[in-house]
Amino acid sequence: MPDLNFEVEDAEAIPYAATPILGFKLRVSNADPQEQIETVALTCQIRLDVTRRRYNETEKKRLSDLFGEPERWSHTLRSMLWTFANLNIRGFSGSILVDLPVSCTYDFNVASVKYFYALESGEIPLSFLFSGTVFYRSKDEGLQVEQISWEKEATYRLPVEVWQRMIDIYYPNSAWIYMHRDSFDRLNTYKLERGITTWEQVVDNLLAQNSELSSDVDVAR
């Protein structure tokens, strides 16, 4: 009976895909090196172990949207789900190194994106939880099927710069913000009425107006 173990050895940004993808180098090893594995249908849950790293002051400010003020982090800082990934692994015996592609989003309404964006440097602690189905060859009984337990895990510390490099490949010097259509319509009307050509200029104008208003309030006080 197969006893598979998993180890994440490396990660890299995958260019030229339809959507942003991180590729994790996954080592899959069977306890019995002589046993023939025909194929593995693998499912992987990936979690962010946010308590397993330190945060500088800038990162703490950026993370307040997720976890509140740092004084509350002893109650609010918890491991969180990032994503799921699936992979079919070809036949092998002993061990095999495969690429585990993980599709990523840059939607700032998604908690994991807010977390990644908040980090300036260092590493992102990840936990990989595996399950799925193993098809293997038995000398006595032919083709057999066995389930992978959710107890099978691996950890990996993803360099923040790898995530940043992937975002720079797919969204160079840009970011995406989702908003309701009525808010967009109001912004679009503001843009058209003032003859503004870019959305960046719309935002810059509104921020400048807000800054001037705040300054006037401070002077009045």
Side-chain angles (χ1 to χ4, degrees):
M1 180 183 300
D3 180 16
L4 300 185
N5 293 291
F6 304 89
E7 179 183 2
V8 180
E9 297 186 353
D10 198 6
E12 62 181 353
I14 306 298
Y16 313 122
T19 60
I21 291 180
L22 284 176
F24 291 90
K25 298 295 184 180
L26 179 65
R27 174 74 62 181
V28 184
S29 303
N30 190 12
D32 182 356
Q34 304 303 318
E35 190 171 41
Q36 179 61 40
I37 303 298
E38 295 297 324
T39 187
V40 180
L42 188 67
T43 298
C44 179
Q45 177 189 139
I46 309 176
R47 301 189 65 84
L48 304 174
D49 292 333
V50 300
T51 61
R52 292 173 46 213
R53 62 158 285 164
R54 296 180 181 273
Y55 302 92
N56 63 36
E57 292 305 315
T58 300
E59 291 170 340
K60 288 178 181 179
K61 290 179 181 178
R62 290 180 174 179
L63 288 169
S64 62
D65 188 29
L66 284 177
F67 307 120
E69 297 304 315
E71 306 84 62
R72 301 180 52 229
W73 282 16
S74 60
H75 301 288
T76 60
L77 208 62
R78 295 288 184 273
S79 171
M80 53 193 281
L81 175 66
W82 174 19
T83 189
F84 289 88
N86 299 296
L87 179 66
N88 290 322
I89 302 174
R90 61 180 174 82
F92 69 95
S93 57
S95 70
I96 187 173
L97 184 65
V98 296
D99 292 318
L100 177 66
V102 176
S103 296
C104 303
T105 180
Y106 202 34
D107 181 351
F108 278 85
N109 285 306
V110 178
S112 60
V113 175
K114 294 180 181 180
Y115 180 78
F116 291 136
Y117 179 75
L119 304 182
E120 291 188 316
S121 60
E123 298 173 329
I124 304 168
L126 303 176
S127 287
F128 294 75
L129 311 179
F130 299 98
S131 67
T133 305
V134 184
F135 298 85
Y136 66 101
R137 186 72 59 179
S138 170
K139 293 181 179 180
D140 299 327
E141 301 179 4
L143 187 64
Q144 300 292 302
V145 179
E146 187 69 27
Q147 297 299 309
I148 301 173
S149 170
W150 274 109
E151 296 178 355
K152 294 296 183 178
E153 301 181 8
T155 59
Y156 182 70
R157 301 186 73 89
L158 174 70
V160 172
E161 64 181 14
V162 174
W163 165 267
Q164 294 170 341
R165 189 180 309 124
M166 179 196 68
I167 294 302
D168 287 341
I169 291 173
Y170 288 91
Y171 305 106
N173 195 32
S174 60
W176 295 96
I177 300 176
Y178 168 89
M179 65 176 62
H180 289 291
R181 184 171 297 172
D182 56 349
S183 298
F184 172 80
D185 288 342
R186 290 162 57 197
L187 276 178
N188 194 44
T189 299
Y190 177 93
K191 178 175 179 287
L192 294 174
E193 288 178 346
R194 288 159 179 79
I196 300 174
T197 57
T198 67
W199 291 108
E200 288 83 358
Q201 190 176 350
V202 170
V203 175
D204 288 342
N205 285 3
L206 292 173
L207 290 174
Q209 292 174 17
N210 182 69
S211 179
E212 292 172 1
L213 179 60
S214 297
S215 298
D216 292 341
V217 171
D218 291 338
V219 170
R221 290 177 180 173

